[in-house]
Amino acid sequence: MKIGALKESYEGEARVAVTPSSAAHLRKLGHEVLVESGAGVRANFSDADYEAAGVTIEPSAQALIGAADVVVKVRPPSDAEIGRMRAGQTVISYFYPSQNAELLEKAREQGVTAIAMDMVPRISRAQKMDALSSMANIAGYRAVIEAANNFGRFFTGQVTAAGKVPPAKVLVIGAGVAGLAAIGAATSLGAQVYAFDVRPEVAEQIESMGAEFVYLDFSESQTDGAATGGYAAPSSPEFREAQLKKFRELAPQMDIVITTALIPGRPAPVLWTRDMVEAMKTGSVIVDLAAERGGNCELTVADERFVTDNGVIIIGYTDFPSRMGAQASELYGNNIRHMLADLTPGKDGVINQNMEDDVIRGATVTYDGDVTWPPPPPKIAAIAAQKPKEKVKELTPEERRAKEVAEFKAQTRSQVTLLGVGAALMLLVGMFAPASFLSHFIVFVLSVFIGFQVIWNVSHSLHTPLMAITNAISSIIIVGALLQIGSGSWLVVFLAALSVLMAGVNIFGGFLVTRRMLAMFQKS
């Protein structure tokens, strides 16, 4: 089959659906790859780069659509692009079927098979094709870069001769893919990061990335997102009021707020209201990743950088992935080639539209002259995230002291009980065992105790503690073996010599390993 990548006609779109590296993978599947001339220029991929990867360059969109069996692109195809396609042809791109009913109907009338990359089911097997997550990852990272560019101070805290610089306080609202990417980027820049999400099960993910999860004292249990395609479900009015109250408490403290609460096809919930913006410090920055659907901030203006009367900068750009065109194209190109790999199971260049496959069926919105959206639920449900452990209640000083006293008493009772049992056993043994046994047994117990103290207190300079203890044990083995090596029994002599050999190998081998490890850290 011939796979053709169109140049994006949407104003300002820098991404391209096929890159030179992804084209090489498509050719391994048995496909021939075509690209419209200039399609990758805005993503820093020249026509010469494509030609070097074995791609055929077509002079125009019309020529490419006429030659290709499968047309791939990023943005939804325009009416003109769909109008040029023929029956039996396949188009793979974003489609937003719930918002583009007319485009969906036009694709059906043309007899085009349309595969929507934004409709890939959010199940484990389909993660490699999940273009929404790929682009959200870039958007979250880029949001932090935009915030840093507009924020007039350091992200990281510093102590200098000129004075102390506090770290920037960053609040990320929403811990989906974009939110986690923003948390990772802000943390790596040294900011003090806080994050909120209506799904409490993401608290461990947030804290594992070095951020602090903002807990909301509310009894309502939120869904884990498994039943909603990986997104948080809408909250009740009571939960929303408690949520806004918490944000009002945080607003005066935060330097940067990044909002990511967006479900495709729905209006974005307003989470950062006008009064919260007014409570923020002059020079603070809000980056609204939900601007394309109205914005999470009440004052967001889509595709604009807006400064409020109190000096708060609100960024409502809707093209964050496109602002990193090269990286976004590489990730989206990989999503496309993974989708085509599933459509080409034989790796023979033949497309197999298997409508029994959960991923292919879920992403296909028109097929065989019919609209196939919405799809049935996938047979394999999204894996629900593990519920978080309950947060341990912090104890007051009096409660902590009482707990320590109770633990000490319990430990003392346990030790006294063990000593009593040991004394009773020794008394029982002394009543029946010969006198020589007791004297030898006492020497044995004292030897074990002294030997343990000697071994455990060996200094581990230039060693790991484990190696120091191992060498101490080996040394005692050698001493014991040397004491027995003069015995008249050939078996005892043999075993003693073997012990000396093995313990010696252990000691000298340990030193050689240590020397080699230390040499790894020496400058050449």
Side-chain angles (χ1 to χ4, degrees), residues 455-494:
I455 291 169
W456 200 254
N457 287 291
V458 170
S459 173
H460 50 267
S461 300
L462 299 180
H463 291 74
T464 63
L466 177 62
M467 188 175 292
I469 294 168
T470 304
N471 285 349
I473 294 171
S474 298
S475 300
I476 290 178
I477 291 172
I478 289 176
V479 171
L482 290 175
L483 291 174
Q484 297 297 324
I485 207 164
S487 172
S489 171
W490 66 270
L491 182 59
V492 173
V493 172
F494 172 76

Side-chain angles (χ1 to χ4, degrees), residues 398-521:
E398 293 77 13
E399 291 174 332
R400 192 180 300 110
R401 194 176 303 111
K403 183 180 179 182
E404 290 174 354
V405 170
E407 289 176 351
F408 175 75
K409 288 181 177 179
Q411 188 176 8
T412 302
R413 283 194 296 268
S414 175
Q415 291 174 346
V416 170
T417 302
L418 288 174
L419 286 173
V421 172
L425 288 174
M426 289 296 297
L427 181 62
L428 187 64
V429 171
M431 292 173 61
F432 299 100
S436 58
F437 172 81
L438 281 178
S439 62
H440 286 92
F441 184 74
I442 291 171
V443 171
F444 171 74
V445 171
L446 291 175
S447 300
V448 169
F449 177 75
I450 294 170
F452 173 81
Q453 293 295 328
V454 169
I455 291 169
W456 200 254
N457 287 291
V458 170
S459 173
H460 50 267
S461 300
L462 299 180
H463 291 74
T464 63
L466 177 62
M467 188 175 292
I469 294 168
T470 304
N471 285 349
I473 294 171
S474 298
S475 300
I476 290 178
I477 291 172
I478 289 176
V479 171
L482 290 175
L483 291 174
Q484 297 297 324
I485 207 164
S487 172
S489 171
W490 66 270
L491 182 59
V492 173
V493 172
F494 172 76
L495 292 175
L498 188 62
S499 299
V500 171
L501 175 64
M502 295 175 68
V505 168
N506 189 41
I507 291 174
F508 291 110
F511 276 110
L512 289 173
V513 170
T514 301
R515 182 183 179 86
R516 189 166 183 177
M517 290 174 64
L518 291 173
M520 293 171 63
F521 299 95

Side-chain angles (χ1 to χ4, degrees), residues 220-272:
E220 179 179 329
S221 177
Q222 296 296 302
T223 179
D224 60 11
T228 55
Y231 296 100
S235 305
S236 68
E238 295 78 13
F239 184 88
R240 174 176 164 75
E241 285 304 314
Q243 183 181 18
L244 295 179
K245 181 181 177 182
K246 188 67 176 180
F247 291 161
R248 287 188 178 97
E249 293 175 6
L250 295 172
Q253 307 169 33
M254 295 300 142
D255 299 304
I256 293 167
V257 176
I258 298 173
T259 65
T260 70
L262 176 65
I263 300 176
R266 298 185 193 173
V270 176
L271 302 176
W272 206 258

Side-chain angles (χ1 to χ4, degrees), residues 2 4-5 32-38 47 55-65 67-68:
K2 293 182 178 180
E32 183 181 345
V33 184
L34 318 174
V35 170
E36 182 184 348
S37 179
D47 289 352
V55 176
T56 301
I57 304 298
E58 293 291 340
S60 65
Q62 186 171 355
L64 184 135
I65 292 173

Side-chain angles (χ1 to χ4, degrees), residues 298-459:
E298 189 175 354
L299 302 182
T300 296
V301 179
D303 295 311
E304 289 188 19
R305 176 186 181 274
F306 173 69
V307 183
T308 65
D309 293 338
N310 64 321
V312 176
I313 301 166
I314 303 175
I315 298 172
Y317 302 149
T318 60
D319 60 347
F320 285 104
S322 190
R323 287 171 180 261
M324 301 185 71
Q327 184 65 74
S329 297
E330 288 287 6
L331 292 181
Y332 185 74
N334 285 335
N335 295 142
I336 289 287
R337 61 109 166 168
H338 284 304
M339 173 61 77
L340 284 165
D342 269 29
L343 288 166
T344 319
K347 297 183 179 180
D348 52 1
V350 177
I351 297 292
N352 177 21
Q353 188 77 26
N354 180 13
M355 297 296 276
E356 297 299 317
D357 184 286
D358 277 336
V359 178
I360 295 173
R361 175 64 188 87
T364 303
V365 293
T366 63
Y367 175 67
D368 198 21
D370 195 13
V371 174
T372 58
W373 183 86
K379 303 182 191 74
I380 304 171
I383 299 173
Q386 184 180 1
K387 298 292 182 184
K389 299 175 183 176
E390 292 186 5
K391 193 174 182 181
V392 179
K393 179 185 175 183
E394 293 186 5
L395 301 177
T396 63
E398 293 77 13
E399 291 174 332
R400 192 180 300 110
R401 194 176 303 111
K403 183 180 179 182
E404 290 174 354
V405 170
E407 289 176 351
F408 175 75
K409 288 181 177 179
Q411 188 176 8
T412 302
R413 283 194 296 268
S414 175
Q415 291 174 346
V416 170
T417 302
L418 288 174
L419 286 173
V421 172
L425 288 174
M426 289 296 297
L427 181 62
L428 187 64
V429 171
M431 292 173 61
F432 299 100
S436 58
F437 172 81
L438 281 178
S439 62
H440 286 92
F441 184 74
I442 291 171
V443 171
F444 171 74
V445 171
L446 291 175
S447 300
V448 169
F449 177 75
I450 294 170
F452 173 81
Q453 293 295 328
V454 169
I455 291 169
W456 200 254
N457 287 291
V458 170
S459 173

